[in-house]
Amino acid sequence: MTLSGAAKLAGVIGWPIAHSRSPAIHGYWLEQYQIDGAYVPLGIDPNNIDQMFDALPKLGFRGWNVTLPHKESAFRLVHERTQTATEIGAVNTVTVQPDGSLHGDNSDAFGFMAHLDQSVPGWPKDRPAAVLGAGGAARAICSGLLQAGVPSVRLLNRTRARAETLAAAFGDRIEVVDWTECGQALAGAGLLTNTTSLGMTKQPPLEIELDELPGDGVVYDIVYVPLETDLLAQARARDLACVDGLGMLLHQARPGFHRWFGVDAQVTPDLHQSVIKDLLP
Ligand code: ATR
């Protein structure tokens, strides 16, 4: 769509930025909803991040997404944060408020939960959830799951100390389980989520036994290259419900799009297809 002089502006800040899928997702919605707006990739060196947070509102930006390595800087640079962003300690969605101040949110937890709810509406949330990994993604996912009301999260990470640090930030609803005790963590669980890089193209495989996971348990892999990871193939072979990682990426874009462009954009099979085309080697 041709832009007018009043076009609404937003974008994504990262370093590097060329790999980001966000311009494709927002660009798809801008076209679909015929919005007079633009969403641009902004490669910003970490040395310039503070100046950019000053400059973008002056250039007329309504807000922007933040990706690696700037999510913690963004947390520091906004004037106000949502409770979720505070819990996660990172901001990925910045919105310029009418008084010019910056509002920071983290939409990763929302993206994770929205995709789970859409993919498996009756997922068993009344039982413990097992989470593999203790990086930024795991932190967002723990926040989302606990807010959704799961009774507890069993957290497993190769480096146990990192899992313990994460758990300490959430109180006693996170139980750290040793990486080697995965079977025990799956017994009676309603959901298993992989947040590690294992199983991703060019990374080592995730070696795991799913036998202990109950038959109505759900397996969610946030890795999306490849879309069908070995973990999901293994779960499918056992007839377990499976959730892939791409939908989380698509759904996490929705809160920003709504704030900046005023439309509650939907994640449709057609959007999936259009982004998947981009992922193919
Ligand atoms: P993000 O912020 O994207 O979640 P991250 O902070 O780089 O990513 O975390 C990657 C996760 O994958 C970590 O939990 C990491 O485990 P460690 O904390 O022990 O490093 C996990 N991971 C990466 N490679 C791994 C491997 N070969 N075996 C087990 N876990 C691995």
Side-chain angles (χ1 to χ4, degrees):
M1 179 168 157
T2 315
L3 298 181
S4 80
K8 297 169 177 155
L9 303 180
V12 54
I13 293 183
W15 186 257
I17 198 61
H19 67 283
S20 174
R21 314 285 171 200
S22 294
I25 300 167
H26 288 266
Y28 176 97
W29 284 331
L30 287 169
E31 194 61 40
Q32 182 189 354
Y33 297 109
Q34 288 290 294
I35 293 169
D36 183 18
Y39 182 99
V40 292
L42 298 162
I44 308 296
D45 180 302
N47 293 319
N48 298 328
I49 187 78
D50 291 35
Q51 293 96 305
M52 283 313 293
F53 270 63
D54 266 349
L56 286 172
K58 293 178 187 151
L59 290 167
F61 276 70
R62 296 177 160 238
W64 53 92
N65 284 124
V66 183
T67 186
L68 296 177
H70 299 316
K71 292 186 189 186
E72 284 80 19
S73 302
F75 184 82
R76 170 175 59 80
L77 289 166
V78 296
H79 305 105
E80 190 187 319
R81 303 156 191 90
T82 58
Q83 190 199 328
T84 307
T86 304
E87 209 161 75
I88 300 169
V91 158
N92 74 349
T93 307
V94 177
T95 303
V96 182
Q97 303 190 102
D99 67 357
S101 65
L102 301 180
H103 173 271
D105 188 15
N106 190 311
S107 63
D108 285 335
F110 169 85
F112 176 84
M113 295 309 304
H115 182 43
L116 177 57
D117 288 338
Q118 190 179 41
S119 306
V120 192
W123 66 276
K125 62 172 73 167
D126 56 344
R127 304 212 302 270
V131 173
L132 306 177
R139 195 173 277 265
I141 286 162
C142 287
S143 164
L145 287 170
L146 291 176
Q147 243 176 61
V150 300
S152 65
V153 171
R154 298 168 179 170
L155 188 64
L156 301 89
N157 195 48
R158 172 181 61 177
T159 311
R160 188 183 167 107
R162 215 172 160 206
E164 274 160 4
T165 304
L166 196 165
F170 285 91
D172 58 6
R173 283 168 73 199
I174 298 195
E175 177 199 351
V176 175
V177 177
D178 208 80
W179 182 248
T180 56
E181 303 291 336
C182 197
Q184 175 193 319
L186 297 184
L191 173 72
L192 164 68
T193 302
N194 174 45
T195 81
T196 74
S197 49
L198 296 174
M200 201 183 281
T201 304
K202 296 188 186 142
Q203 296 295 320
L206 171 62
E207 280 159 15
I208 189 168
E209 266 304 331
L210 296 179
D211 293 354
E212 295 292 333
L213 192 65
D216 64 345
V218 177
V219 177
Y220 194 153
D221 197 340
I222 74 161
V223 169
Y224 58 86
V225 184
L227 200 54
E228 176 84 348
T229 60
D230 287 350
L231 172 64
L232 294 185
Q234 198 180 329
R236 237 178 268 287
R238 271 204 54 207
D239 272 341
L240 297 167
C242 290
V243 185
D244 68 56
L246 184 60
M248 173 179 175
L249 178 76
L250 303 178
H251 280 280
Q252 67 77 31
R254 289 173 51 206
F257 194 88
H258 188 239
R259 287 196 178 100
W260 313 320
F261 300 116
V263 172
D264 183 14
Q266 296 304 301
V267 172
T268 57
D270 191 60
L271 172 61
H272 261 262
Q273 283 313 315
S274 126
V275 177
I276 286 171
K277 261 190 276 151
D278 245 24
L279 297 176
L280 295 174

